[in-house]
Amino acid sequence: MSEVRIPSQSAQTTKLLLESKRPEISEIELTLFENCNIVCDFCFHDKKSQVGLSKEEMFSKIPIMDEFLSRQQNRVKIAQINVVGGELFQDRWMERLNQDYYELLIETKKSFDKYNLKMKVVFVSNFLFKKKESVKELIDKLRDYGIDTHLIVSYDFEGRPLSKSYWDNVTYFGPEYICSVNLVGTSGSIKKFIENKDNNFKYFYKNFNIFFDDFIPDNGSDDLIPSDREFSQWYKYIADNFPLIQPVADLINNQNNSMHCLSLNKVTIFPDNKTSNCRWHRYKQTDFNTKLNLKDNSGMMQNFIDEMGCLQCEYFSRCGFRCFTQWDWKNRKRDMEICPMKSFFNHIEGKQD
Ligand SMILES: C[S@@+](CC[C@H](N)C(=O)[O-])C[C@H]1O[C@@H](n2cnc3c(N)ncnc32)[C@H](O)[C@@H]1O
Ligand code: SF4
Ligand code: SF4
């Protein structure tokens, strides 16, 4: 069996080292349930699961959020709740669920007020629903209540079914309601993106904010993980062709950036009320090089900065690093000598690797 890497310094030391890179907002990844009405190739949720769908289960997450928020006061000004499923907006349950989301968030606002934090809410959806008026009403009601509320629509170059309702909804909600269009950087999707033949994407790029996220691996997904070379080409291609795409735009434009990974300021709440810093409970030690700690990602971060040599790197202030979970995944292709992010920065600075 290959060796598990145990970080040389304590998690506390790593956190101190990375303090300057800590994101300025906190995040609750509120995974209410995994149930979904479709299947995307790169998503590992249990689409049939009913766990977390009841109002009681949703409300049982309030004390967990309160505890997390109590630790964020005086640390950040804004905390964002990413409400996700599975799919939140399924026509078959729309009325009941939307009412539950509303009551849940109104109740949660009390914690934000108690700890003097500004509340931001984002619902992430596949946008395949037909009952769009009900979704709009939910957002309008939350906004009327003083909660800054938006939608994220997911789009992908492959592996995600779309329908006519999807496009109807995109036009209906527009940038006033949709704060971002999010894509996932699988190996296949990056290849399609670089082929640059997708007119839907060009429409999104012209009209919306775009966030191209790192693929989070799971059991059996090794082929979907971009190699280091693909990763680096992906970022370079964005810089050369679509420089407004986040998080790359910030790397191009700012000399100082926080790390993209929010896990220092984040709690992920799962449907069964388990929590983690980011990673799934079903992950196994054999999936990773670093010793697995579901409550704290800093060991993995430390191995990353040690191995890449980040503390000696000229781009340390500017760099957002990358998804540490993907980086640490044992079975992914490591095919570059140099750090892929460093190669990207060299590219935008017109330097040779
Ligand atoms: C799990 S989905 C739930 C919300 C909704 N059903 C949707 O598809 O937008 C939340 C977001 O995670 C993305 N996602 C799914 N599987 C992923 C993975 N393995 N790595 C990174 N993001 C992933 C989806 O594309 C979506 O933008
Ligand atoms: S729509 Fe969302 S939850 Fe459903 S399979 Fe796709 S990514 Fe997963
Ligand atoms: S460019 Fe690479 S080595 Fe430099 S700080 Fe970023 S991740 Fe670390």
Side-chain angles (χ1 to χ4, degrees):
M1 209 177 107
S2 60
E3 189 194 335
V4 174
R5 289 190 65 195
I6 299 171
S8 55
Q9 298 160 45
S10 73
Q12 219 44 41
T13 315
T14 309
K15 284 185 176 161
L16 282 173
L17 283 173
L18 291 173
E19 204 46 47
S20 63
K21 306 295 285 180
R22 182 190 279 279
E24 281 173 5
I25 67 163
S26 293
E27 188 177 281
I28 298 174
E29 182 91 5
L30 185 61
T31 306
L32 290 177
F33 47 83
E34 293 186 66
N35 192 290
C36 185
N37 45 4
I38 59 161
V39 176
C40 298
D41 294 349
F42 46 81
C43 172
F44 300 92
H45 283 250
D46 178 356
K47 322 287 186 309
K48 293 205 163 47
S49 167
Q50 300 278 320
V51 178
L53 273 163
S54 72
K55 184 170 179 179
E56 290 71 39
E57 287 168 297
M58 287 188 202
F59 270 63
S60 68
K61 293 177 169 55
I62 293 174
I64 306 173
M65 290 193 272
D66 184 84
E67 193 278 325
F68 171 77
L69 292 168
S70 73
R71 289 187 280 116
Q72 304 309 307
Q73 62 178 333
N74 305 323
R75 206 183 208 187
V76 293
K77 293 194 175 69
I78 305 178
Q80 175 164 317
I81 305 186
N82 283 345
V83 192
V84 289
E87 178 52 37
L88 300 169
F89 301 128
Q90 300 188 39
D91 288 313
R92 53 185 166 168
W93 301 320
M94 186 76 92
E95 277 74 23
R96 200 273 285 170
L97 285 181
N98 282 5
Q99 184 60 27
D100 291 349
Y101 304 150
Y102 177 72
E103 289 175 26
L104 173 71
L105 292 165
I106 296 300
E107 199 53 37
T108 307
K109 186 167 188 300
K110 291 178 185 162
S111 300
F112 280 79
D113 294 344
K114 182 164 60 171
Y115 303 122
N116 203 16
L117 292 162
K118 186 169 161 25
M119 180 174 183
K120 191 167 176 199
V121 170
V122 176
F123 292 101
V124 189
S125 170
N126 65 23
F127 260 53
L128 296 176
F129 50 86
K130 291 206 168 65
K131 298 182 180 174
K132 52 185 183 297
E133 291 78 13
S134 177
V135 175
K136 183 167 181 292
E137 190 191 331
L138 167 68
I139 295 165
D140 288 342
K141 270 169 43 186
L142 288 166
R143 286 181 174 181
D144 288 347
Y145 203 83
I147 302 174
D148 187 19
T149 310
H150 301 266
L151 292 165
I152 285 180
V153 51
S154 300
Y155 179 74
D156 287 287
F157 291 104
E158 63 173 29
R160 170 179 290 280
L162 300 182
S163 68
K164 182 175 174 301
S165 303
Y166 179 91
W167 295 109
D168 289 349
N169 291 335
V170 168
T171 346
Y172 178 76
F173 286 102
E176 195 196 331
Y177 287 85
I178 300 171
C179 63
S180 176
V181 178
N182 281 22
L183 296 89
V184 185
T186 59
S187 172
S189 165
I190 290 171
K191 281 190 196 111
K192 290 242 166 88
F193 170 57
I194 291 178
E195 282 169 13
N196 194 9
K197 289 187 187 142
D198 189 310
N199 287 330
N200 293 328
F201 176 75
K202 288 174 194 156
Y203 161 77
F204 275 136
Y205 186 71
K206 211 167 143 206
N207 296 289
F208 293 89
N209 298 319
I210 311 264
F211 194 97
F212 215 147
D213 214 349
D214 288 308
F215 169 68
I216 303 169
D218 215 313
N219 197 11
S221 72
D222 299 351
D223 292 348
L224 296 171
I225 307 174
S227 70
D228 283 338
R229 197 165 292 284
E230 284 170 330
F231 185 95
S232 174
Q233 279 167 351
W234 172 37
Y235 268 41
K236 290 174 189 171
Y237 182 80
I238 291 178
D240 294 345
N241 298 279
F242 298 101
L244 298 177
I245 295 180
Q246 290 292 14
V248 181
D250 282 346
L251 303 178
I252 300 169
N253 298 324
N254 307 335
Q255 289 305 316
N256 294 301
N257 286 295
S258 316
M259 65 171 83
H260 297 158
C261 169
L262 287 176
S263 65
L264 288 179
N265 282 10
K266 174 172 170 176
V267 64
T268 300
I269 306 175
F270 294 106
D272 60 1
N273 286 0
K274 287 199 180 107
T275 59
S276 102
N277 208 214
C278 143
R279 294 185 283 175
W280 285 95
H281 289 256
R282 59 177 177 255
Y283 281 163
K284 300 186 294 295
Q285 178 60 65
T286 46
D287 295 330
F288 295 97
N289 284 328
T290 302
K291 181 146 181 43
L292 189 59
N293 178 352
L294 294 171
K295 292 281 171 215
D296 193 338
N297 263 3
S298 45
M300 198 167 47
M301 286 179 196
Q302 191 195 321
N303 279 343
F304 176 86
I305 57 174
D306 283 352
E307 193 172 305
M308 296 292 126
C310 299
L311 296 179
Q312 291 79 41
C313 174
E314 63 190 298
Y315 301 120
F316 181 78
S317 303
R318 200 169 174 187
C319 189
F321 309 137
R322 58 189 280 193
C323 169
F324 303 108
T325 296
Q326 187 189 98
W327 170 79
D328 197 47
W329 192 259
K330 201 169 263 174
N331 285 327
R332 68 171 184 87
K333 202 165 170 194
R334 291 158 167 84
D335 55 359
M336 282 179 87
E337 292 289 318
I338 182 176
C339 163
M341 290 299 293
K342 196 168 192 163
S343 178
F344 158 76
F345 283 120
N346 283 342
H347 176 80
I348 60 176
E349 288 302 311
K351 295 183 187 170
Q352 293 294 320
D353 282 346

